Amino acid sequence: MHQRIEDYALIGDEQTAALVGRDGSIDWLCLPRFDSGACFARLLGDEENGHWRIAPEGAEGRPCTRRAYRPDSLVLDTEWDTPEGSVRVTDLMPQRDRAPDLVRIVEGLSGRVTVRSTLRLRFDYGSIVPWMRRSDGHRVAVAGPDSVWLRSEPPVRTWGERLRTHAQFTVGPGEKVALVLTWHPSHDPRPPLIDPYQALAHSVTDWRAWAARCRYTGPHRDAVVRSLITLKALTYAPTGGIVAAPTTSLPEEPGGVRNWDYRYCWLRDSTLTLGALLSAGYQEEAEAWRDWLLRAVAGNPADLQIMYGLAGERRLPEYELPWLSGFAGSAPVRIGNDAVKQLQLDVYGEVLDTLYLARRSGLPSKPHMWAMQRALLDFLRRSWHRPDEGLWEVRGGRRHFVHSKVMVWVAADRAVRTLEADPSLRGDPEGWRALREEVHREVCEKGYDPERNTFTQSYGSRELDAALLLIPRVGCLPPDDPRVTGTVDAVRAELGEGGGLLRRYSSDTSSVDGLPGGEGAFLVCSFWLADALHLTGRTEKARELFDRLVGLANDVGLLAEEYRVDDDSAAGRHLGNFPQAFSHIGLVNTALALYGDDRAG
């Protein structure tokens, strides 16, 4: 039986990540990168697709008694109380030197507890059973390009049974056993062994030193720091790119087909990510993200994509894995993402807004950065009249999405502002002002419904879209404009799911995105609503909503992409890929908007 999405916690080494369930099972891990094939894929199939469970004997498959991250770190402690005593499993992935290591330390707390480890390695998303052998007292698994070593300190007895590797041992108070799983290319020699206990101490120290840099001191600081740690964990350290999530194909609807691969870097997140990092005090990470963006988008402006691989790769072909049944039977399981081929005009505005913010915030400029911005503006001047697939990557045909046009306005506006701040730069200020005015006029004429006093999702439609809440945030209209307050009220009324939660767009989603079924409330949209309420003078309501949204995080502070309230109770469940960078970016930015002015250092 599958655990719920919210039953998982995240550990990682800033190059890949693992999901650890409340039952002590690691059910998802891709090695050596976020976008590599998974060696544990139980999350999207069953136990035969790979996992690694450590739990007290007799408690296998049952949830732990309690768990928590060590404060201000990505080190996870999971504890069980049993009739024989109590035991703790500490999980971490130390920042790597050469090879990725997964460390699991078992420690007795009271009594004497027998603990059982069951390891099923299945490479290539659960499809390949490796050849297992012993070497120097270690277990070694090899299949094609992948090799994994399993060792313990002190050594414990291990044995193979039914294509699984087992270990069983007993710990008393203060006694510890560390198990370390290390990956390397099968053609290379085994990498140097790490000391698991030193790795634990260094990881806790390093994470706490990083978290201490956070300048935010307002309400829900723990949630803000946890969100920033999560964003750091979703960063691919060699390049600075930030993945949208470490998972693929976690469903937006249980049993449905809205299952996508989010292990890539989206340009749509760029401005909001940069703003969150800079405002919270993380300039180094902001600069690395800005530099990744510049490398990724370099080239012909007409070829700008909405997403890229971890190092800026452009080809992300989408295909299905038929041997995996999907999370809770939600098939198909998809690898890659065909949305990479879509035209989304808003990404041009997001890139230009990001680079404007970077320049204004004092990040050092890069050669050819301004020339690239001018080239993007030239493309937009020729192409902005075209319909596109929009922010939400619909697969139901192109439209003239209002948000896309608003972001074209943002592109022209930021270019004009850049020239006004630095007249030494070459450009076409009059042409860009004209473009800004033309787009603004068209949006207000064709994207606004005067009868309902609201902007609409696309020209001539009656559907609404939560992205319209960004209009005052980006400065296209002032917050006190009656059209803005009318739009906020209409979106809140029509897209609301109760308690301030918002869907992305109107209820008949299939007519917009061309897919059957529905989805839950989109969490980042709910954070946008809190921002819009604050901007339009309803700060107390915004703070009430923010409190509710923070409370939706799971027991270790993580948020998925979506949330759905059960029909028969006040409880709900997380949906979509997990943890979701966009949701955590929303949390950080809303906290800064509501409390940052007078509480951030």
Side-chain angles (χ1 to χ4, degrees):
M1 182 176 177
H2 270 280
Q3 299 185 78
R4 300 168 302 173
I5 291 171
E6 58 266 31
D7 287 334
Y8 287 97
L10 178 80
I11 58 173
D13 64 0
E14 296 180 56
Q15 296 192 45
T16 191
L19 293 188
V20 187
R22 292 178 62 89
D23 64 351
S25 180
I26 296 179
D27 290 345
W28 183 253
L29 173 61
C30 299
L31 291 172
R33 306 192 337 168
F34 290 107
D35 57 353
S36 300
C39 63
F40 300 144
R42 181 191 180 203
L43 181 73
L44 299 177
D46 57 34
E47 291 191 348
E48 293 303 319
N49 298 122
H51 71 111
W52 185 9
R53 181 171 58 232
I54 297 179
E57 186 177 26
E60 297 95 332
R62 297 205 298 268
C64 62
T65 306
R66 56 192 163 270
R67 66 175 182 172
Y69 286 113
R70 298 198 180 179
D72 291 351
S73 83
L74 201 66
V75 174
L76 179 71
D77 287 327
T78 305
E79 297 180 0
W80 285 265
D81 295 335
T82 75
E84 292 75 29
S86 299
V87 67
R88 173 190 300 138
V89 177
T90 299
D91 290 314
L92 67 144
M93 293 189 73
Q95 288 198 21
R96 68 181 77 170
D97 180 16
R98 286 177 49 193
D101 294 290
L102 173 56
V103 177
R104 313 197 74 183
I105 298 174
V106 182
E107 179 181 4
L109 301 177
S110 66
R112 295 197 62 80
V113 181
T114 299
V115 176
R116 189 176 183 92
S117 166
T118 300
L119 172 67
R120 284 185 177 91
L121 279 166
R122 300 291 185 268
F123 296 123
D124 192 27
Y125 300 104
S127 66
I128 297 175
V129 180
W131 172 51
M132 300 288 294
R133 61 184 175 87
R134 288 185 180 273
S135 177
D136 298 330
H138 303 163
R139 287 275 178 173
V140 185
V142 178
D146 299 296
S147 180
V148 166
W149 292 67
L150 174 67
R151 64 186 176 94
S152 64
E153 293 187 10
V156 297
R157 185 175 73 91
T158 62
W159 71 95
E161 177 187 318
R162 297 179 181 176
L163 303 178
R164 297 172 289 185
T165 298
H166 297 276
Q168 187 168 300
F169 49 90
T170 300
V171 290
E175 295 177 348
K176 299 179 182 180
V177 173
L179 296 100
V180 182
L181 193 73
T182 303
W183 178 95
H184 68 92
S186 59
H187 60 273
D188 285 347
R190 185 193 68 189
L193 303 179
I194 67 166
D195 181 316
Y197 303 106
Q198 286 185 2
L200 170 60
H202 290 162
S203 291
V204 171
T205 298
D206 290 347
W207 276 111
R208 287 178 177 169
W210 188 87
R213 291 164 49 195
C214 176
R215 293 201 300 240
Y216 178 77
T217 59
H220 298 297
R221 186 180 189 277
D222 287 348
V224 171
V225 171
R226 178 55 51 196
S227 291
L228 289 165
I229 288 174
T230 303
L231 293 176
K232 179 71 168 172
L234 298 181
T235 300
Y236 184 64
T239 67
I242 301 175
V243 296
T247 56
T248 179
S249 301
L250 290 181
E252 297 177 16
E253 180 181 49
V257 300
R258 298 169 182 267
N259 316 320
W260 314 110
D261 194 345
Y262 274 18
R263 298 171 300 156
Y264 308 112
C265 308
W266 264 258
L267 300 190
R268 73 181 182 202
D269 306 357
S270 57
T271 307
L272 298 175
T273 302
L274 193 75
L277 292 172
L278 287 170
S279 297
Y282 293 97
Q283 180 160 330
E284 180 181 336
E285 288 75 13
E287 187 172 350
W289 171 244
R290 191 279 311 270
D291 291 349
W292 174 89
L293 180 69
L294 287 172
R295 293 191 301 270
V297 305
N300 187 340
D303 297 330
L304 188 71
Q305 297 182 177
I306 67 168
M307 73 181 85
Y308 295 86
L310 304 177
E313 297 91 344
R314 289 174 173 262
R315 297 189 184 278
L316 310 173
E318 183 178 305
Y319 58 95
E320 299 177 4
L321 303 183
W323 62 85
L324 291 175
S325 59
F327 181 88
S330 305
V333 171
R334 294 183 174 94
I335 303 300
N337 201 313
D338 271 348
V340 72
K341 304 172 185 175
Q342 292 186 350
L343 173 66
Q344 293 182 22
L345 292 172
D346 64 289
V347 300
Y348 292 84
E350 282 143 8
V351 169
L352 286 160
D353 195 19
T354 300
L355 299 180
Y356 168 75
L357 175 60
R359 187 185 298 271
R360 190 183 67 184
S361 301
L363 293 184
S365 186
K366 291 287 185 178
H368 313 302
M369 190 169 80
W370 179 242
M372 178 188 297
Q373 291 171 267
R374 294 202 321 266
L376 294 175
L377 258 297
D378 289 343
F379 173 81
L380 273 185
R381 289 172 74 169
R382 300 190 303 270
S383 306
W384 75 272
H385 290 288
R386 297 165 62 185
D388 70 343
E389 278 89 1
L391 171 73
W392 304 124
E393 300 164 13
V394 301
R395 301 194 180 196
R398 292 181 176 179
R399 299 184 178 196
H400 289 283
F401 286 100
V402 171
H403 175 261
S404 294
K405 307 302 186 187
V406 167
M407 294 309 295
V408 173
W409 178 92
V410 167
D413 178 74
R414 301 316 188 249
V416 169
R417 291 191 187 193
T418 301
L419 283 182
E420 290 173 345
D422 187 354
S424 68
L425 296 172
R426 289 194 308 111
D428 180 13
E430 294 308 315
W432 295 340
R433 287 191 183 97
L435 173 63
R436 181 174 64 178
E437 292 169 5
E438 183 182 3
V439 174
H440 193 278
R441 182 169 55 252
E442 182 176 293
V443 165
C444 291
E445 290 176 356
K446 297 183 178 181
Y448 175 70
D449 182 346
E451 292 183 5
R452 297 156 65 202
N453 188 29
T454 181
F455 286 93
T456 59
Q457 183 178 51
S458 59
Y459 291 175
S461 73
R462 291 190 62 81
E463 292 98 346
L464 299 184
D465 190 320
L468 300 170
L469 297 171
L470 298 174
I471 289 175
R473 179 174 187 153
V474 300
C476 189
L477 286 171
D480 59 356
D481 188 297
R483 292 167 294 184
V484 168
T485 54
T487 299
V488 172
D489 291 341
V491 167
R492 190 180 178 196
E494 185 168 321
L495 302 186
E497 289 275 290
L501 301 183
L502 289 186
R503 286 171 285 114
R504 291 185 293 176
Y505 37 82
S506 298
S507 56
D508 185 12
T509 54
S510 61
S511 68
V512 178
D513 58 31
L515 295 167
E519 58 185 24
F522 212 74
L523 289 175
V524 75
C525 297
S526 303
F527 286 112
W528 292 347
L529 175 58
D531 296 340
L533 289 171
H534 173 57
L535 285 171
T536 54
R538 292 169 279 186
T539 298
E540 283 308 309
K541 288 189 178 297
R543 290 178 173 178
E544 291 172 8
L545 175 55
F546 182 62
D547 291 344
R548 165 96 198 281
L549 294 172
V550 171
L552 298 183
N554 75 352
D555 61 309
V556 290
L558 301 181
L559 292 167
E561 180 181 27
E562 301 178 12
Y563 189 87
R564 175 173 291 177
V565 178
D566 290 342
D567 294 335
D568 55 354
S569 72
R573 63 182 304 179
H574 289 233
L575 295 171
N577 284 301
F578 175 87
Q580 178 79 358
F582 219 9
S583 299
H584 286 283
I585 292 165
L587 188 153
V588 173
N589 279 321
T590 299
L592 291 164
L594 293 177
Y595 302 104
D597 290 343
D598 56 356
R599 295 182 187 248

